[in-house]
Amino acid sequence: DWRTRGRAHIVRYVILKWTLCLLVGVLAGAIGFFNNLAIENIAGFKFLHTTDLVVANKYLMAFGVFACSNFVLLMFAVAITSCIAPAAAGSGIPEVRAYLNGVDAPDIFSLRAIVVKIFGCIAAVSSSLHVGKAGPMVHVGACVAALFGHERLHKNHLTGKWLKYLKNDRDRRDLVTCGAGAGVAAAFRSPVGGVLFALESLSSWWRSSLLWRAFFTTAAVAIVLRALIEVCVSGKCGLFGKGGLIMFDVTSTTIAYQLLDLPVVILLGVMGGILGSFYNFLMQKVLGIYNQINEKGICYRLLLAGTISIFTSCLLFGLPWLASCQPCPDATQQGCQNLGKTRNLRNFQCSPNYYNDLASLFFSTNDDSIRNLYSSGTHELFDQFSIILSFVTSYFLGIISYGVVAPAGLFVPVILTGAIYGRFVGMLMGSRSSLDHGLYAVLGSASFLGGTMRMTVSVCVIILELTNNLLLLPLVMLVLLISKTVADLFNGNIYDLILKLKGLPYLDGHAEPYMRQLTVSDVVMGPLQFFNGVEKVGNIVHVLKTTGHHGFPVIDETPFCSTPVLFGLVLRSHLLVLLKKKDFLPTPILTSVDISKEYSSDDFAKISTGKSDRIEDIILSEEQMEMYIDLHPFTNTSPFTVVDTMSLAKALILFREVGLRHLLIVPKTSCRSPVVGILTRHDFMPEHILGLHPFLKKSRWK
Amino acid sequence: DWRTRGRAHIVRYVILKWTLCLLVGVLAGAIGFFNNLAIENIAGFKFLHTTDLVVANKYLMAFGVFACSNFVLLMFAVAITSCIAPAAAGSGIPEVRAYLNGVDAPDIFSLRAIVVKIFGCIAAVSSSLHVGKAGPMVHVGACVAALFGHERLHKNHLTGKWLKYLKNDRDRRDLVTCGAGAGVAAAFRSPVGGVLFALESLSSWWRSSLLWRAFFTTAAVAIVLRALIEVCVSGKCGLFGKGGLIMFDVTSTTIAYQLLDLPVVILLGVMGGILGSFYNFLMQKVLGIYNQINEKGICYRLLLAGTISIFTSCLLFGLPWLASCQPCPDATQQGCQNLGKTRNLRNFQCSPNYYNDLASLFFSTNDDSIRNLYSSGTHELFDQFSIILSFVTSYFLGIISYGVVAPAGLFVPVILTGAIYGRFVGMLMGSRSSLDHGLYAVLGSASFLGGTMRMTVSVCVIILELTNNLLLLPLVMLVLLISKTVADLFNGNIYDLILKLKGLPYLDGHAEPYMRQLTVSDVVMGPLQFFNGVEKVGNIVHVLKTTGHHGFPVIDETPFCSTPVLFGLVLRSHLLVLLKKKDFLPTPILTSVDISKEYSSDDFAKISTGKSDRIEDIILSEEQMEMYIDLHPFTNTSPFTVVDTMSLAKALILFREVGLRHLLIVPKTSCRSPVVGILTRHDFMPEHILGLHPFLKKSRWK
C-alpha cells in the first residue's frame, strides 16, 4: 500500500494516477472520434454511391454494390475477430462488468483485443448490420485503461519505474472503471452519463474518490471531443462534421405537457417494459443457438455472418420499395436531402421533391435515422404502415444481429427501435396529445432502454445529454421507472443474461433467500489442501499439480507448536515464485535469517498479462524435491476468517463487500483441525449450492 | 431479513418500500415548494414595503422597517430553535452524513426538529440573513423519511402492521438517503443532482438498487414541483411564481468559447480553490468562537443573532448608498423593475429609469441576485467598485452568519459569492474574452462550490440543472476539478470540518498511513467485559451499570465446555429486554426448552425514537439478582472476528465495508482466553489511536 511510503512516493503516485486518467480520457476521446469519423465516412460513401445508382435507375447494380460492400465489410470484421482476438466479439460490456466484479475473463484486455475492437467495430457498423458502436467503445475505453497496467507494455515502452506503483489489483480496477466511463462518454458525448453508467451498471465497488477520478476522465473526453469536432466544423472530415457535442438536439422543441399526456407516457413505459423483456428473452435464445454454431469453427462463423449480412441487405434495400413516395415537407429546390441537420430524408426511387420515408429510416446510418425520428414539428413525416414495418424489422434485426462474432453494441439498435414505436404511439395519439412526435420518439427510446438494459439514472442522464433538453426530465424518469419495473417482473437485464450464457461467475451483492438457511460449512466440498509451516518441496509441487486452487491455508503443527494452529494463507502465485527461486532448506527447521529480504516486492507483483507461470514449467531435481521451504515469511498471517456456524448469506456480505478471493472457515471449538475449509467465489454460485443441496430449489420461496 | 419470508410478505414489503419513497418524494416536494413560496412572499413583501418607503424618501423609516422585520424574524427563528429543537440548528447536512455513516446524533430526526427546521428556515432566510435554504431542505427531506420509520408515529397514527417491516437499520438508512436526495431535488429543482448529491457526499454505503429508489423519489419530487409551479403560473401565489422548473435559465446564451478562454477558466478554478479553502478555514474559526458563546445559554444566542441581524441590516441598507445611479439598459416606461424574469433591478434611491447596482444585489432575495448575476448580454450591468464591495460583503457575511443557532444553509451564499467574483473576472477580461459575463458568473459559482464543498459530479449536475445549459458542461467540469484540487491542498471540506467541531465519530473509508503499523491489539484498551453462557443476573446488572458498552462477548466456560470457547456476541439492548422480562433461572443450567420462542422478534426490534430503555429503570429484587439467565438463545453466534495480529488498516476495511458496530478480536493461538478484545467505531478514531501511541504523530508520513 502506497500510504506507507514516503511523501515523495505518494506525490509521485498521485500524479501518476491522475496522469493516467488524463491519458485514458484523451485516448478514449480520440478513439471515439476516430470511430465515428470512419463509420460516417465509410457508411456515408456507401450510401452516397448506392443512392446515386438508384437515382440513375440502375437498381440491380445499386443492390449489388450495397450488398457486396456490406458483405465484404462484415466478413472482414468477423475474420479479424475470429482469427486475432475472439474475446473482442460482442459489446464487451458484460466482460468489463465481470472484470470489475473480480472475474478475470481471459484475454479481454490485450492489445490485440483493442485493435480488433476498433477496426472490427468500424467495419461491422459500416456494413449496415443492425448493431451499435457504443458497447465496443466501452470495452475500448476499459482496454486502454487496462493496457496502462500491462506488464509487457511497461517493459518495452514505458519507464517501468513509474508504473510499478500501479501493480495492485485495486488501482488497475479503478483505472478500468474510469476507462469504461470514458468509453461511454466518448460514444454518446455524454460525460456525466459516462460516470453514472460506470457507477450504475459496471462497477461492483465504488468509492467517492473514484467518482471524482472518473469524472475527471470523462471531462478530458468531453474536451478532446469538443476540440476535434471544432476542427471538423470547417468541413475537413469528409462526410462527418454535422452536429456538435449534442448528437440529437431537440432543444428547439418547446415542451408543453398536461396531465392528459401522463396516461400515454405510462403506456409507453409499460410497452417498453414488455417489449424489452421479450427482446431479452429472444436474444437469450438466439445467442444460445448462435453460440453452438460459432463454436464449430471459423467457417461456420463466416457462414452465419454472411447469411445475416445478405438478409439484412435484402431487407434494407427491399423494404423501401413497399413505401409510397411522399412530397417533401417544405420542398426547396435542393430536394429533400438538405433539410438541415435534424432531418435527412432520402428520395430513393422517388422523383426529386419527393421522399421515401422507409428509405429515410433504413437506408441511412442509424444516427441519421434517430435524428429523423427525434426531429420536431414533423408529424406528417412518416406513414403509419412504414412505421409498423420498420419497427418489426428493427426489432428482429437487432435480435439476430448481435450474436455475430464481431464487435457489436446493443445501445443504438435499442434506441432506434424504441424511437420508432415511440413515434408510432405519438402518431396514434394524433392531435389529442400536445406533445411533439419527436418527443414521443425520445420517450420511446428511453422506455426501450429501460426495458432491456434496466438502467435508470445513467440512461436518463445519457438521454438528456444526447438531446439537450432538461425540461423533458420528469417524463423520461417516469418512463424509465415504469419500463424497468414492468420488465423486471419477467427476466433479468440483458447483460446479466449474456454473462450467464458465457458462464462467468458474477457475484451479486445480495444474498439469495436460501443462503440464510445454510451455514458456510454446508457448501465447502472435498478434502482441504493445506501446507505445514515448513513444508516439503515435493509435497508442494504435488498439491499444486493436482489441484487448481489459488490459495492454501498454512498450519503450524508439531514440533513447532503443541496444538495445530492456523498460521495464515499462502497464495499459489507466491509458491510458484518460491519454487522458481529454488532457495530450499535441507532440513525442516525454521529459518533464523529473514529470508523475505532476499525477495523484492516486485517478485511477487501480480503479472497482468495473463501469462503467469505454471507449475509444469518449473523443473526440479529429485534431490530438490526432498528439501523443505519455510513458508512463514511468505504467508499472509491475518487472512479473513469466519466461524463454521456463520450463515452463508452473512459470509457472502463479507466476501463481496471487502472484495475477497479466499475466505477461511475456522471451527467454533478448537478441538478439531484449526481450519475446516476455504470459501472462494465459486462456492457462492447458485449452481454450485443448488447442486449440493437440490432440495433447496423447491423451497426457494420458503 | 425479509428474503426468508413468504412471497406475500415480500410483495407487501416491496410495495411498502416504494410507497414510502413516493410519499417521501411527494412530501419533500410539497415542503420545498411551500418553503420557497413562504420565503418569496415574506421577503418580497418586506422588500416591496421598504422600497416604497425609500422611493418616498422616508429613508430612516425604511431602514427602521427593514431592520426591525429582519430582527424579529431572526429572533423568532433563534428562539424556536433554541427552545424546541436545538438539533435543528445549522444546515443539518453534516448530521445526516454522520447518520448515514452509522452515528446516531441525538434528536436529529424528531417531529419537533422538522417543524422547527421548516419554519425556522423560512424566518431566517426571510430575515435577509446571508444563509441559504438548500441545506435545511436536505435535513427536512431526511427527517420526513426517518419519521416513517419512527416508532411513536407507528403506534399512534399508522397501522403498525405494515410498517413493522421497516424496523431494521438498513431500510431506515436507505429511506433517509432517498429523503436527503429528495431534499436536494426540492431545493434546487434538480432531480438527478439530488440523487448524485446523496450518493457523493452523504452516503457511506451504496447499492445499485438504492440508486434506483433514490431516483424514483426525486422523480416524484420533480413531478410534484412541476405540478405546483403550474398552479402558480396563473399568479395565485402572491409574489412567487416567476420561473419554472429551471431556476436560473441561461439557455438563451449561445456558448462560444475558444482555446484563449481556457486560461481564464483555469484562473477561476484556482481562485475558487484558494478562496474556498480560506472560507472553510475562517468558518471553522468563527464556528469555534460561536460555539463557546452559544453554549452559555439562550440569552447569549439571542444576543449573538441580534447583533448579526442588525449588522447585516446596516450593511445591506447602507452600502447601496455608496453606489452611483446608472441608467436602465433598455429603459422602458415601466422603470427598471420589470425587465423580464432574468433581471430584477432596483432603483432604490435613484430616480426612475435609473437603477442602483448594489441595491440590485443586496436589496433583494438571494435568488433574484443570482438571477441578476447570471443574466446574459448585460456586460454593463454592474460597476467594478460595486462588484468588489459586494464580493467582500458577501464573503464575510456568509462566514459570520452560518453559526447562528437557526436553520441555515451554506449553498446559496456560496453560489452568490462565487457568481460575484466570477462576474468580476469576466469584467476584468472585458472584450478579450468571447464568453458572456453571465457564464463567468456561473463558472464562478461552480468554482466556489468546488472550493468549499469539494463535491464534483453532483455540483456539476446541479449547476446544469439550475441553468439548463448542457453546452457549458466541459467548462464547469474543468473549473470544479481545478478548484477542488487546489482547495484540497489546504484543508478538508466544510462538512467534515463541521463534523469534527461537533465531535461526531465519522468513520472514513480509507485507512490512515499509521494504521498499517499497528495491529488491532494495539488499540484495544482496558479490561474486557464478557459474560458466561449462563450468567448471574446480578453480574449482568453490575456490568451494564458500570460500562457503557453496547455489545459483550459471551464465553462458554466450564462446566459446559472443557476449554473456554467464544460462543458469540450479545447486545446491551437485548440484555435489557431479557432483564425486563424477568424470566430467570434459579440455578446455572442450560435451558432445555427453546426459550427464545417466548419472545417475538418485535421485542428485540430496535426502537428508533432514541428513548430506549435504560438499565437504571429496571428494578430487580435481591432474590432475582442471585438468579441466572441462559444467554445462549439470545446471542449472535457468528459475529465477525479478526485475529489479533491483523493490521488496523485491514480491520478498518472490514469494519467499514460490512458496516459493523462491533468487531471481536480473537487470539492467534488458542492458549489464552478465546477473545482478547472488542473493536468499536471509537477505536478507529485518529484521536483515540494517536492518544494511545503519541509517537505516531511525528512519523505520520513515514
Side-chain angles (χ1 to χ4, degrees):
Chain A
D1 191 280
W2 57 274
R3 287 178 205 275
T4 48
R5 298 209 187 101
R7 193 182 252 279
H9 276 84
I10 293 175
V11 170
R12 220 189 287 173
Y13 170 78
V14 170
I15 291 175
L16 175 66
K17 273 208 294 194
W18 286 91
T19 315
L20 284 183
C21 281
L22 180 69
L23 276 177
V24 167
V26 170
L27 267 177
I31 292 172
F33 180 77
F34 171 74
N35 259 15
N36 257 326
L37 188 69
I39 290 169
E40 294 271 329
N41 273 312
I42 296 175
F45 185 76
K46 185 185 75 184
F47 282 121
L48 209 66
H49 200 63
T50 320
T51 313
D52 284 348
L53 287 171
V54 171
V55 170
N57 284 334
K58 296 174 184 165
Y59 300 125
L60 209 64
M61 197 170 154
F63 177 70
V65 169
F66 183 66
C68 279
S69 53
N70 286 351
F71 187 79
V72 170
L73 282 167
L74 188 58
M75 284 298 118
F76 169 71
V78 174
I80 59 168
T81 312
S82 298
C83 300
I84 304 175
S91 78
I93 292 178
E95 285 87 349
V96 173
R97 223 181 137 189
Y99 171 79
L100 293 176
N101 190 259
V103 188
D104 287 344
D107 289 328
I108 53 162
F109 293 139
S110 59
L111 199 60
R112 285 185 302 179
I114 194 173
V115 172
V116 166
K117 202 94 194 182
I118 294 171
F119 291 100
C121 173
I122 292 171
V125 175
S126 305
S127 81
S128 289
L129 194 70
H130 203 54
V131 295
K133 51 188 189 282
M137 262 316 293
V138 176
H139 190 175
V140 167
C143 245
V144 168
L147 282 177
F148 283 111
H150 206 292
E151 190 75 5
R152 211 174 345 151
L153 206 69
H154 296 180
K155 282 199 186 130
N156 299 352
H157 308 292
L158 293 159
T159 52
K161 201 177 163 193
W162 276 69
L163 281 159
K164 77 175 173 190
Y165 297 113
L166 288 179
K167 266 183 191 159
N168 69 65
D169 268 350
R170 203 182 76 165
D171 287 330
R172 213 174 279 142
R173 205 170 55 209
D174 286 356
L175 201 58
V176 168
T177 310
C178 293
V184 179
F188 294 115
R189 306 179 198 168
S190 151
V192 180
V195 174
L196 285 175
F197 184 87
L199 163 66
E200 189 180 5
S201 61
L202 295 177
S203 178
S204 297
W205 292 277
W206 191 268
R207 299 189 317 284
S208 195
S209 62
L210 185 56
L211 193 68
W212 187 27
R213 213 129 29 92
F215 191 61
F216 173 72
T217 316
T218 59
V221 172
I223 289 166
V224 167
L225 276 180
R226 202 187 176 286
L228 289 173
I229 288 171
E230 199 92 315
V231 172
C232 272
V233 166
S234 43
K236 292 177 198 141
C237 305
L239 298 172
F240 180 77
K242 305 275 169 54
L245 209 56
I246 309 296
M247 288 171 96
F248 313 117
D249 204 330
V250 297
T251 329
S252 50
T253 324
T254 48
I255 311 233
Y257 49 90
Q258 289 116 29
L259 215 60
L260 281 172
D261 294 327
L262 275 187
V264 195
V265 171
I266 291 168
L267 172 76
L268 263 179
V270 175
M271 270 180 73
I274 293 169
L275 289 170
S277 58
F278 190 59
Y279 194 84
N280 288 4
F281 172 77
L282 287 179
M283 184 70 97
Q284 196 183 10
K285 297 284 166 216
V286 169
L287 284 181
I289 299 168
Y290 279 17
N291 277 352
Q292 286 174 6
I293 299 175
N294 288 332
E295 272 166 17
K296 287 184 186 163
I298 185 164
C299 297
Y300 284 89
R301 291 179 193 181
L302 288 172
L303 198 67
L304 179 68
T307 317
I308 293 170
S309 174
I310 291 169
F311 180 66
T312 306
S313 297
C314 290
L315 274 184
L316 297 190
F317 195 87
L319 285 177
W321 299 96
L322 299 176
S324 52
C325 293
Q326 292 181 33
C328 287
D330 35 281
T332 56
Q333 53 271 57
Q334 298 156 314
C336 295
Q337 257 161 324
N338 300 316
L339 282 173
K341 73 174 177 184
T342 55
R343 277 173 291 167
N344 193 358
L345 304 177
R346 304 254 162 200
N347 46 7
F348 206 59
Q349 93 282 20
C350 304
S351 49
N353 291 335
Y354 284 81
Y355 72 95
N356 182 321
D357 56 352
L358 266 181
S360 306
L361 284 179
F362 286 152
F363 214 64
S364 51
T365 58
N366 284 337
D367 285 5
D368 281 338
S369 308
I370 294 171
R371 225 165 268 141
N372 281 335
L373 288 164
Y374 282 5
S375 64
S376 60
T378 51
H379 290 198
E380 307 294 318
L381 201 61
F382 298 102
D383 188 53
Q384 283 204 13
F385 168 74
S386 305
I387 283 281
I388 294 174
L389 198 63
S390 61
F391 167 68
V392 174
T393 316
S394 174
Y395 192 83
F396 290 101
L397 269 187
I399 291 168
I400 64 164
S401 300
Y402 179 75
V404 168
V405 187
L410 281 167
F411 261 102
V412 175
V414 165
I415 291 177
L416 181 61
T417 311
I420 295 172
Y421 76 72
R423 191 132 191 144
F424 180 65
V425 170
M427 284 160 67
L428 285 186
M429 285 306 293
S431 57
R432 267 158 300 188
S433 162
S434 55
L435 268 181
D436 191 90
H437 288 189
L439 296 183
Y440 271 115
V442 174
L443 293 176
S445 296
S447 74
F448 203 44
L449 281 172
T452 50
M453 318 260 167
R454 315 286 163 86
M455 294 175 289
T456 50
V457 187
S458 49
V459 164
C460 179
V461 173
I462 287 174
I463 286 191
L464 289 183
E465 288 186 298
L466 281 177
T467 58
N468 190 21
N469 203 324
L470 269 172
L471 294 170
L472 211 54
L473 186 62
L475 290 183
V476 172
M477 289 174 104
L478 191 67
V479 153
L480 277 171
L481 285 167
I482 294 170
S483 67
K484 180 176 154 69
T485 312
V486 170
D488 273 346
L489 294 178
F490 299 108
N491 52 17
N493 82 57
I494 198 154
Y495 296 124
D496 279 346
L497 297 178
I498 295 174
L499 269 179
K500 207 171 269 178
L501 272 176
K502 298 209 174 210
L504 296 173
Y506 188 85
L507 198 63
D508 259 327
H510 64 267
E512 296 291 328
Y514 55 81
M515 288 187 183
R516 297 193 58 85
Q517 302 171 20
L518 297 170
T519 65
V520 285
S521 51
D522 289 336
V523 296
V524 176
M525 270 196 324
L528 175 70
Q529 299 286 352
F530 64 88
F531 293 123
N532 289 321
V534 179
E535 184 62 89
K536 212 165 132 184
V537 173
N539 206 359
I540 295 177
V541 171
H542 175 73
V543 168
L544 290 184
K545 272 187 180 161
T546 51
T547 67
H549 301 174
H550 289 283
F552 303 91
V554 174
I555 290 170
D556 269 338
E557 279 181 351
T558 44
F560 304 112
C561 210
S562 54
T563 54
V565 165
L566 172 67
F567 185 75
L569 184 84
V570 70
L571 294 178
R572 183 193 197 88
S573 55
H574 292 185
L575 287 175
L576 288 171
V577 173
L578 293 179
L579 290 177
K580 257 171 84 182
K581 188 103 176 184
K582 297 194 176 69
D583 192 5
F584 305 137
L585 302 168
T587 49
I589 47 155
L590 283 173
T591 41
S592 50
V593 293
D594 191 359
I595 198 167
S596 64
K597 287 267 168 62
E598 293 175 25
Y599 296 87
S600 77
S601 66
D602 283 352
D603 291 337
F604 293 108
K606 198 189 166 192
I607 298 149
S608 63
T609 50
K611 296 256 177 208
S612 57
D613 299 311
R614 287 182 312 150
I615 180 68
E616 283 78 16
D617 301 338
I618 297 171
I619 294 143
L620 295 166
S621 66
E622 278 294 322
E623 195 181 323
Q624 283 171 328
M625 292 292 248
E626 290 299 317
M627 292 169 85
Y628 292 86
I629 301 181
D630 183 2
L631 296 177
H632 288 108
F634 310 103
T635 303
N636 170 9
T637 55
S638 53
F640 285 100
T641 55
V642 291
V643 293
D644 57 356
T645 54
M646 187 180 273
S647 85
L648 194 60
K650 208 165 160 185
L652 173 65
I653 290 171
L654 170 64
F655 195 88
R656 166 66 202 255
E657 294 296 325
V658 182
L660 301 178
R661 290 188 186 277
H662 305 99
L663 182 58
L664 291 178
I665 305 173
V666 296
K668 185 122 205 168
T669 53
S670 50
C671 327
R672 290 175 284 159
S673 139
V675 188
V676 295
I678 187 162
L679 279 176
T680 62
R681 172 180 294 269
H682 287 277
D683 295 317
F684 291 107
M685 289 295 119
E687 298 78 28
H688 171 79
I689 297 168
L690 296 176
L692 283 176
H693 304 276
F695 64 92
L696 286 173
K697 236 175 231 168
K698 281 168 278 171
S699 65
R700 184 152 181 166
W701 286 106
K702 170 72 202 307
Chain B
D1 191 278
W2 57 274
R3 287 178 206 276
T4 48
R5 299 209 187 101
R7 193 183 253 279
H9 276 83
I10 293 175
V11 170
R12 219 190 287 171
Y13 170 77
V14 170
I15 292 175
L16 175 66
K17 273 208 295 195
W18 287 91
T19 314
L20 283 182
C21 281
L22 180 69
L23 274 177
V24 168
V26 169
L27 267 177
I31 293 173
F33 180 78
F34 171 73
N35 260 15
N36 257 325
L37 187 70
I39 291 170
E40 294 270 327
N41 272 310
I42 296 175
F45 185 77
K46 184 185 76 186
F47 281 121
L48 209 66
H49 199 64
T50 320
T51 312
D52 283 349
L53 286 171
V54 170
V55 169
N57 285 333
K58 296 174 185 164
Y59 299 126
L60 209 65
M61 198 171 156
F63 176 70
V65 169
F66 183 66
C68 278
S69 53
N70 287 350
F71 187 78
V72 170
L73 283 167
L74 188 58
M75 282 300 118
F76 169 71
V78 174
I80 60 168
T81 313
S82 298
C83 299
I84 304 176
S91 80
I93 293 179
E95 284 88 350
V96 174
R97 221 180 139 190
Y99 172 78
L100 293 176
N101 190 261
V103 188
D104 287 345
D107 289 327
I108 55 163
F109 293 139
S110 59
L111 198 61
R112 284 185 302 179
I114 195 173
V115 172
V116 167
K117 202 95 194 183
I118 295 172
F119 291 100
C121 173
I122 292 173
V125 175
S126 304
S127 80
S128 288
L129 194 70
H130 203 53
V131 295
K133 53 188 188 281
M137 262 317 292
V138 176
H139 190 177
V140 167
C143 245
V144 169
L147 282 178
F148 282 111
H150 206 293
E151 190 75 6
R152 211 173 348 148
L153 207 68
H154 296 178
K155 282 200 188 129
N156 299 353
H157 309 292
L158 294 158
T159 52
K161 203 177 162 192
W162 276 71
L163 281 159
K164 75 176 176 190
Y165 296 113
L166 287 179
K167 266 185 191 157
N168 69 65
D169 268 350
R170 203 181 79 165
D171 286 329
R172 213 174 280 142
R173 205 169 54 209
D174 286 358
L175 201 58
V176 169
T177 310
C178 293
V184 179
F188 294 115
R189 305 179 199 170
S190 152
V192 180
V195 174
L196 286 175
F197 184 87
L199 163 66
E200 189 179 6
S201 60
L202 295 177
S203 178
S204 298
W205 293 276
W206 192 266
R207 301 188 316 283
S208 196
S209 62
L210 186 55
L211 193 68
W212 188 27
R213 211 126 33 89
F215 191 61
F216 174 72
T217 315
T218 58
V221 172
I223 290 167
V224 167
L225 277 180
R226 201 185 176 288
L228 289 173
I229 288 171
E230 200 93 316
V231 171
C232 272
V233 166
S234 43
K236 292 176 199 140
C237 306
L239 298 172
F240 181 76
K242 305 276 168 54
L245 210 55
I246 309 295
M247 287 172 93
F248 313 117
D249 203 330
V250 297
T251 331
S252 51
T253 323
T254 48
I255 310 233
Y257 50 89
Q258 289 118 29
L259 216 59
L260 281 173
D261 294 326
L262 274 188
V264 194
V265 170
I266 291 168
L267 173 75
L268 262 181
V270 174
M271 270 179 74
I274 293 170
L275 288 172
S277 58
F278 190 59
Y279 194 83
N280 288 3
F281 172 78
L282 288 179
M283 183 71 97
Q284 197 182 9
K285 296 284 169 219
V286 169
L287 283 181
I289 298 167
Y290 279 17
N291 277 351
Q292 286 173 5
I293 299 173
N294 288 332
E295 272 166 17
K296 286 185 187 161
I298 185 164
C299 296
Y300 284 90
R301 292 180 193 180
L302 287 172
L303 197 68
L304 178 67
T307 317
I308 294 170
S309 174
I310 291 170
F311 180 64
T312 307
S313 296
C314 291
L315 274 185
L316 297 190
F317 195 86
L319 285 177
W321 298 96
L322 299 176
S324 52
C325 292
Q326 293 180 31
C328 288
D330 34 284
T332 56
Q333 53 271 58
Q334 298 156 314
C336 295
Q337 256 162 324
N338 300 315
L339 282 172
K341 72 174 179 185
T342 56
R343 277 175 290 166
N344 193 358
L345 302 179
R346 303 255 163 200
N347 45 8
F348 206 61
Q349 92 283 21
C350 304
S351 49
N353 291 334
Y354 284 81
Y355 71 94
N356 182 320
D357 55 352
L358 266 181
S360 306
L361 285 179
F362 286 151
F363 214 64
S364 52
T365 59
N366 284 337
D367 285 5
D368 281 338
S369 307
I370 295 172
R371 224 166 266 142
N372 281 335
L373 288 164
Y374 282 5
S375 64
S376 60
T378 52
H379 290 199
E380 307 295 318
L381 200 61
F382 299 102
D383 188 54
Q384 283 204 13
F385 168 73
S386 305
I387 284 280
I388 294 174
L389 199 62
S390 61
F391 167 67
V392 174
T393 315
S394 175
Y395 192 83
F396 290 101
L397 268 188
I399 292 168
I400 63 162
S401 300
Y402 179 74
V404 169
V405 186
L410 281 167
F411 261 102
V412 175
V414 165
I415 292 178
L416 180 62
T417 311
I420 295 173
Y421 77 73
R423 190 130 191 148
F424 180 65
V425 170
M427 283 160 67
L428 285 185
M429 286 304 293
S431 58
R432 268 159 297 189
S433 162
S434 55
L435 268 181
D436 190 90
H437 288 189
L439 296 183
Y440 272 114
V442 174
L443 293 175
S445 296
S447 74
F448 202 44
L449 280 173
T452 49
M453 318 259 167
R454 315 286 162 85
M455 293 176 288
T456 49
V457 187
S458 50
V459 164
C460 180
V461 173
I462 287 174
I463 285 190
L464 290 182
E465 287 187 297
L466 282 178
T467 58
N468 192 19
N469 203 326
L470 268 171
L471 294 168
L472 210 54
L473 187 62
L475 290 183
V476 173
M477 288 174 104
L478 191 68
V479 154
L480 277 172
L481 286 166
I482 293 169
S483 66
K484 181 176 153 70
T485 313
V486 170
D488 273 346
L489 293 177
F490 299 107
N491 51 17
N493 80 57
I494 198 155
Y495 296 124
D496 279 346
L497 297 179
I498 295 174
L499 269 179
K500 206 171 271 176
L501 272 177
K502 298 209 175 214
L504 296 173
Y506 188 85
L507 198 63
D508 258 329
H510 64 267
E512 295 292 328
Y514 55 81
M515 287 189 185
R516 298 192 59 84
Q517 302 173 22
L518 297 171
T519 65
V520 284
S521 51
D522 290 336
V523 296
V524 175
M525 269 197 325
L528 176 70
Q529 298 287 352
F530 64 88
F531 294 122
N532 290 321
V534 179
E535 183 64 88
K536 210 164 135 186
V537 173
N539 205 1
I540 296 177
V541 171
H542 174 74
V543 168
L544 289 185
K545 273 189 180 159
T546 52
T547 66
H549 301 175
H550 289 282
F552 303 92
V554 174
I555 291 170
D556 269 338
E557 280 183 350
T558 45
F560 304 112
C561 210
S562 54
T563 54
V565 164
L566 171 66
F567 184 74
L569 183 84
V570 70
L571 294 178
R572 182 193 198 86
S573 55
H574 292 186
L575 287 175
L576 288 172
V577 172
L578 293 179
L579 291 177
K580 255 171 84 182
K581 189 104 175 182
K582 297 195 175 68
D583 192 7
F584 306 138
L585 303 168
T587 48
I589 48 155
L590 283 174
T591 42
S592 50
V593 293
D594 190 358
I595 198 167
S596 64
K597 287 266 167 63
E598 292 175 27
Y599 296 87
S600 79
S601 66
D602 282 352
D603 291 338
F604 294 108
K606 198 189 166 193
I607 298 152
S608 62
T609 51
K611 296 256 175 206
S612 57
D613 298 312
R614 286 182 312 149
I615 179 67
E616 283 78 15
D617 301 337
I618 297 171
I619 294 144
L620 295 166
S621 67
E622 278 294 321
E623 195 182 323
Q624 282 171 327
M625 293 292 250
E626 289 300 316
M627 292 169 85
Y628 292 86
I629 301 180
D630 182 2
L631 296 176
H632 288 109
F634 309 103
T635 303
N636 170 9
T637 56
S638 53
F640 286 101
T641 55
V642 292
V643 294
D644 57 355
T645 53
M646 187 180 273
S647 84
L648 195 59
K650 209 165 160 185
L652 174 64
I653 290 170
L654 169 64
F655 195 88
R656 166 67 202 254
E657 295 295 326
V658 182
L660 300 179
R661 291 189 185 274
H662 307 99
L663 183 57
L664 290 178
I665 306 173
V666 295
K668 185 122 205 170
T669 53
S670 51
C671 327
R672 288 175 286 159
S673 140
V675 188
V676 295
I678 187 161
L679 281 175
T680 62
R681 171 180 293 270
H682 288 278
D683 295 317
F684 291 107
M685 289 295 118
E687 298 77 29
H688 171 79
I689 299 169
L690 295 176
L692 282 176
H693 305 276
F695 64 92
L696 286 171
K697 238 175 230 167
K698 282 168 276 171
S699 64
R700 186 154 180 164
W701 283 109
K702 159 35 207 164

